[in-house]
Amino acid sequence: MARDPDCLFCKIVAGEIPGTKVDEDERTVAFMDINPATRGHLLVVPREHSKNLLEIGEEDLDACLRTAQRMAARVTERLGADGVNLLNSCGSAGWQTVFHFHVHVIPRYEGDPLRLPWVPGPGDEDEIKAAARELTA
């Protein structure tokens, strides 16, 4: 199994450093975030090291999302979350700070202090269409 000896999350998966694990299967491990945004905030990682969303294999990505879905249901049922955010940060500009693919499962509660990092508003229609043309296969 691919592993980065300097990766914090690889060390947690391997049990070399402490992590509060709450779920694991043959492909993934879920553990509590030590800097939680809300009560029950946890991370889902693949056992095999992948740097980010652009590098993770399809099977590990599928497994991580299935585990994230299972954990979202669990925080809703057991912690009484009113909603859940799933968040992946890819690359430094995308706020990634640990370079081992991971999905944040962030329980949301009515009245919690979290807010969107942008203010939704109408975009420039021409720019939206130009970007769409570049992205169309």
Side-chain angles (χ1 to χ4, degrees):
M1 186 167 295
R3 182 169 185 276
D4 178 342
D6 298 319
C7 174
L8 178 69
F9 290 172
C10 285
K11 291 178 181 181
I12 290 171
V13 168
E16 294 173 8
I17 61 173
T20 306
K21 294 178 184 177
V22 295
D23 191 85
E24 53 188 307
D25 59 29
E26 70 178 32
R27 297 193 85 87
T28 67
V29 176
F31 54 90
M32 301 305 291
D33 193 310
I34 62 169
N35 298 300
T38 62
R39 182 171 189 265
H41 180 172
L42 59 97
L43 305 173
V44 175
V45 303
R47 289 184 179 276
E48 185 166 321
H49 184 82
S50 294
K51 181 179 176 182
N52 60 35
L53 179 63
L54 304 177
E55 293 184 7
I56 190 170
E58 288 181 11
E59 289 181 5
D60 279 343
L61 179 60
D62 290 346
C64 284
L65 290 179
R66 283 191 307 274
T67 299
Q69 181 183 43
R70 186 169 63 248
M71 299 314 308
R74 194 176 298 174
V75 299
T76 300
E77 294 164 7
R78 298 186 187 177
L79 300 181
D82 299 308
V84 178
N85 287 128
L86 297 182
L87 173 69
N88 170 257
S89 298
C90 182
S92 296
W95 306 332
Q96 187 175 8
T97 58
V98 177
F99 291 87
H100 181 123
F101 176 84
H102 55 288
V103 176
H104 293 260
V105 178
I106 306 169
R108 299 302 306 273
Y109 303 94
E110 293 296 333
D112 73 33
L114 299 183
R115 299 291 172 256
L116 285 173
W118 72 94
V119 177
D124 178 279
E125 287 186 41
D126 291 334
E127 178 53 32
I128 292 169
K129 288 177 184 176
R133 280 192 299 276
E134 292 181 50
L135 295 171
T136 301

